[in-house]
């Protein structure tokens, strides 16, 4: 299987490259220095030259707050880039696997979001990601949209790393307790994408469409932080843990509105591909790897 990975230096991209090493697959991993996905001619040239079986797009503008003041850049990367990749995939009869987000929803539903629920993004990031989804769907017949949430891993910047860093110098922390979601380990996202790529390319699975993949159990950010500190203490990564004070969204204003509810229902991906929800607690068993 020939796999083209974009955004190869990001959280998920790094995991994809690591997990595909020594598997026998032919992998072309490109970061933004090697491929500008917003340049349609550059994308078409790269895809035609390599002629992949599948493109996995792990490139994105994920700075949610910055997107509010960098809307042109956010739409270029999150909408135009995926469209360019999907059009190129269609040209060479490749499948495209594209990562999206819970931010395409309003975040006010009671219960978990289904793939079929109405979208209603509340900010520039969510709007740009939704338009990216629509561009992929309309541009390439063989597409998978994988919506995820609360991504963390050993590389890049994320909530786990931030909490561990702050815990080294603070006795207490205020963490938002009225936003809920499923923390998702980047390595589990990568494994899910590889599983799906294998299914659609090598096994002829044609269940294309949109899927949700995130972690269970669902928690608040404050509960997530508490679990991180408990695990860190158990593993002697921290000598003591700070007190977690649950605060409200109103107590911590940000340029971009955060969803109150980021819970994603993952039953469809389990039923279709046999992929279980991310076990985010298990992914916290080697927290020393997050401290490097």
């Amino acid at each position: 299987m020939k796999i083209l990975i974009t955004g190869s230096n990001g959280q998920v991209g790094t995991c994809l490259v690591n997990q595909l090493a020594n598997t026998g697959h032919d992998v072309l991993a490109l970061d933004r220095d090697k491929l500008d996905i917003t340049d349609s001619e550059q994308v078409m040239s790269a895809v035609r030259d390599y002629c992949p079986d599948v493109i996995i797009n792990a490139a994105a503008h994920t700075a949610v707050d910055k997107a509010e003041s960098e809307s042109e850049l956010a739409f270029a990367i999150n909408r135009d880039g995926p469209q360019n990749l999907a059009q190129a995939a269609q040209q060479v009869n490749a499948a495209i696997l594209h990562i999206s987000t819970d931010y395409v929803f309003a975040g006010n539903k009671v219960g978990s979001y289904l793939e079929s629920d109405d979208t209603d993004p509340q900010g520039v990031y969510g709007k740009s990601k939704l338009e990216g989804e629509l561009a992929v769907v309309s541009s390439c017949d063989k597409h998978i949209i994988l919506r995820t949430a609360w991504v963390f891993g050993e590389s890049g910047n994320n909530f786990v790393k931030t909490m561990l860093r702050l815990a080294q110098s603070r006795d207490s922390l205020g963490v938002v307790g009225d936003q809920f979601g499923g923390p998702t380990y980047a390595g589990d996202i990568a494994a899910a994408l590889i599983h799906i790529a294998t299914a659609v390319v090598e096994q002829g699975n044609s269940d294309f469409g949109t899927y949700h993949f995130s972690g269970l159990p669902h928690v608040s950010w404050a509960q997530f932080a508490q679990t991180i500190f408990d695990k860190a203490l158990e593993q002697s990564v921290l000598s003591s843990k700070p007190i977690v004070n649950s605060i409200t969204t109103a107590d911590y204003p940000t340029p971009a509105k955060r969803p109150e509810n980021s819970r994603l229902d993952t039953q469809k991906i389990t039923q279709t591909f046999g992929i279980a929800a991310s076990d985010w607690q298990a992914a916290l068993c080697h927290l020393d790897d997050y401290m490097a």
Side-chain angles (χ1 to χ4, degrees):
M1 183 163 56
K2 294 183 72 175
I3 305 170
L4 171 61
I5 300 169
T6 61
S8 61
N9 284 350
Q11 290 191 91
V12 177
T14 298
C15 292
L16 281 166
V17 171
N18 291 340
Q19 291 181 26
L20 286 166
N22 305 315
T23 59
H25 294 302
D26 188 332
V27 178
L28 177 60
L30 302 173
D31 60 23
R32 60 186 172 188
D33 294 331
K34 295 177 182 173
L35 179 65
D36 178 4
I37 65 170
T38 69
D39 185 327
S40 59
E41 291 185 6
Q42 194 180 132
V43 168
M44 190 63 75
S45 176
V47 172
R48 280 181 176 158
D49 288 348
Y50 183 58
C51 205
D53 297 305
V54 59
I55 296 171
I56 303 180
N57 181 32
H61 184 297
T62 58
V64 176
D65 288 325
K66 276 189 177 180
E68 293 298 311
S69 57
E70 298 177 346
S71 62
E72 192 172 321
L73 180 62
F75 277 96
I77 297 171
N78 293 342
R79 176 195 61 201
D80 303 343
Q83 181 171 41
N84 293 336
L85 291 166
Q87 289 174 340
Q90 183 78 0
Q91 286 284 320
V92 300
N93 195 33
I96 181 167
L97 278 53
H98 173 66
I99 303 170
S100 192
T101 174
D102 60 289
Y103 275 75
V104 299
F105 297 113
N108 56 7
K109 179 183 177 179
V110 175
S112 300
Y113 276 98
L114 301 170
E115 289 84 350
S116 57
D117 283 334
D118 290 340
T119 53
D120 185 17
Q122 300 295 296
V124 171
Y125 172 66
K127 289 173 183 174
S128 67
K129 290 296 289 183
L130 177 59
E131 291 200 18
E133 286 188 13
L134 298 173
V136 169
V137 171
S138 64
S139 300
C140 185
D141 297 331
K142 299 196 291 187
H143 64 266
I144 296 284
I145 307 293
L146 194 74
R147 292 179 183 145
T148 190
W150 293 23
V151 181
F152 70 93
E154 295 88 349
S155 66
N157 298 316
N158 55 68
F159 185 77
V160 174
K161 286 190 166 189
T162 298
M163 289 299 104
L164 290 173
R165 176 174 52 80
L166 292 175
Q168 293 176 303
S169 60
R170 306 232 189 136
D171 295 327
S172 66
L173 287 169
V175 184
V176 173
D178 59 357
Q179 296 170 18
F180 295 85
T184 314
Y185 176 51
D188 291 340
I189 299 172
L193 289 165
I194 294 167
H195 183 105
I196 294 171
T198 303
V200 300
V201 174
E202 297 185 345
Q203 298 164 10
N205 187 310
S206 59
D207 289 306
F208 298 107
T210 300
Y211 293 87
H212 289 172
F213 179 77
S214 64
L216 287 175
H218 294 138
V219 289
S220 69
W221 288 111
Q223 290 168 328
F224 188 18
Q226 188 64 63
T227 303
I228 294 166
F229 297 145
D230 288 343
K231 297 271 189 183
L233 203 59
E234 288 172 13
Q235 298 167 41
S236 300
V237 170
L238 294 176
S239 56
S240 62
K241 64 179 183 179
I243 296 167
V244 176
N245 297 311
S246 180
I247 63 173
T248 68
T249 299
D251 294 328
Y252 189 71
T254 55
K257 182 182 179 182
R258 265 50 176 185
E260 294 173 26
N261 178 16
S262 292
R263 300 176 183 91
L264 298 177
D265 187 293
T266 59
Q267 292 182 73
K268 182 182 175 184
I269 199 170
T270 301
Q271 292 166 357
T272 306
F273 293 105
I275 297 170
S278 175
D279 185 349
W280 61 268
Q281 291 171 317
L284 299 177
C285 288
H286 300 284
L287 285 173
D288 51 339
D289 293 338
Y290 295 78
M291 302 288 282

